[in-house]
Amino acid sequence: DPHDVDVALRIERDERLVQEIVSAIMSGGNPFAPVRRALAGTSRGLQFQYEDQAREQLVAEGTVMVPLWRRGDTLEDARAVLHGIAEDPAAGRAERHDMIEAFTGLDRYIPRQVRAELIEWQNEGLISISQVQLPDAPDDSELLATPEMRWAVNRRWQTDSPLRRAALAGLTYLAQGGADLDLVDLAGQRLPTPGRRAGRQVDAEWRVNWKWSGYRAIPRVVPDGGAWLEIIHPTRTRPLTGLLIESAGTPGPGPLRSERNLAHPPL
């Protein structure tokens, strides 16, 4: 009665999927979300590997890959293969690969390939990773004090959306630490803060993100003095946890280390 099943997919990237990927990059979404919904619905017990590199890594480590379904197979064919896998009465919890303390309790929501790359970047001295708890934004949050900020958040997410809750929690975390919101990139878009609307042009230093969209930019953007806040598995009601990814030279957890940021007080 497994509670965690890993499935590796080999996807032919046709024009439609390429368009989905480009659209997701532009909006900060997950290009494989439609594929996952089609295969798993709302089930949380299935974890998918979409990239060839991840599957090849598993094979190199000795994992035996059992083809369950190929285009043209019937559902009955796939079920026959699945039920043909012999059960191991001595089976127990599998060893967790590519793990560090910061991933404790979160690893099921972090694809293994992502975990491996984050650990590699940390071992190379490019980044440091810490787990942080995120506060919910209060109802009277100053983050939404201006019509432009309310519009920027409400046009992207419904009021009851877990992503809206995650966005406000991430911004609250940064604001409580004194971050300059002029320098924040929220899920792929800059904020219409009073400073930016007044013409202040500065590069993003803080990034609030989820679903690991564009995560391969981390070793490029983080060592420049900023931080990447990855919100893990946003939900409507459960406590929100994030991974704070900073430059390896940052002295301890906390996003506020940049001299450029300290020169501009928080809003």
Side-chain angles (χ1 to χ4, degrees):
D1 188 17
H3 299 284
D4 181 10
V5 177
D6 297 309
V7 181
L9 306 178
R10 184 175 184 272
I11 301 176
E12 297 292 341
R13 299 198 177 198
D14 58 11
E15 182 178 352
R16 180 182 173 189
L17 182 57
V18 171
Q19 291 176 350
E20 289 279 356
I21 293 173
V22 172
S23 176
I25 292 174
M26 298 295 292
S27 64
N30 177 5
F32 296 108
V35 177
R36 193 194 191 290
R37 284 195 298 270
L39 292 172
T42 60
S43 172
R44 298 180 178 179
L46 293 173
Q47 305 297 316
F48 293 97
Q49 298 285 354
Y50 301 100
E51 302 292 346
D52 290 346
Q53 183 180 359
R55 185 177 66 255
E56 292 165 359
Q57 178 182 347
L58 292 171
V59 173
E61 293 172 352
T63 301
V64 178
M65 307 296 287
V66 179
L68 292 180
W69 182 89
R70 293 185 176 90
R71 177 178 293 184
D73 290 352
T74 65
L75 178 60
E76 290 72 22
D77 292 336
R79 283 177 171 164
V81 174
L82 183 63
H83 292 294
I85 301 174
E87 295 185 11
D88 180 358
R93 181 175 176 83
E95 178 185 355
R96 306 306 291 173
H97 298 280
D98 300 307
M99 283 293 296
I100 56 176
E101 183 178 354
F103 299 158
T104 302
L106 306 177
D107 51 296
R108 67 176 298 179
Y109 302 117
I110 310 173
R112 184 178 173 192
Q113 180 63 29
V114 176
R115 299 201 307 266
E117 292 184 63
L118 290 174
I119 292 173
E120 179 181 355
W121 298 332
Q122 181 168 264
N123 291 340
E124 291 175 354
L126 298 176
I127 62 172
S128 65
I129 309 170
S130 56
Q131 188 176 136
V132 296
Q133 301 304 310
L134 303 176
D136 276 309
D139 293 336
D140 59 349
S141 172
E142 294 184 1
L143 294 170
L144 302 179
T146 67
E148 292 78 15
M149 286 292 289
R150 288 194 297 272
W151 178 82
V153 172
N154 295 335
R155 74 178 174 86
R156 297 182 71 181
W157 303 290
Q158 298 292 330
T159 303
D160 61 348
S161 168
L163 300 184
R164 183 180 188 275
R165 180 189 178 215
L168 292 175
L171 293 178
T172 298
Y173 175 82
L174 293 180
Q176 287 181 350
D180 183 345
L181 297 187
D182 285 2
L183 310 182
V184 171
D185 178 297
L186 175 61
Q189 295 186 19
R190 300 296 293 275
L191 299 172
T193 57
R196 283 180 51 76
R197 290 176 55 240
R200 185 182 179 204
Q201 300 296 323
V202 287
D203 294 334
E205 288 196 6
W206 322 115
R207 288 166 173 79
V208 179
N209 196 64
W210 46 75
K211 297 183 181 178
W212 298 104
S213 175
Y215 78 94
R216 286 196 169 95
I218 288 175
R220 175 176 56 83
V221 301
V222 168
D224 289 339
W228 183 292
L229 178 60
E230 183 74 25
I231 302 176
I232 308 300
H233 190 57
T235 71
R236 289 186 176 89
T237 58
R238 296 179 183 177
L240 292 174
T241 304
L243 288 180
L244 184 64
I245 304 170
E246 304 173 278
S247 169
T250 299
L256 311 178
R257 308 301 180 201
S258 153
E259 292 181 1
R260 178 167 40 171
N261 182 67
L262 296 177
H264 300 279
L267 300 175

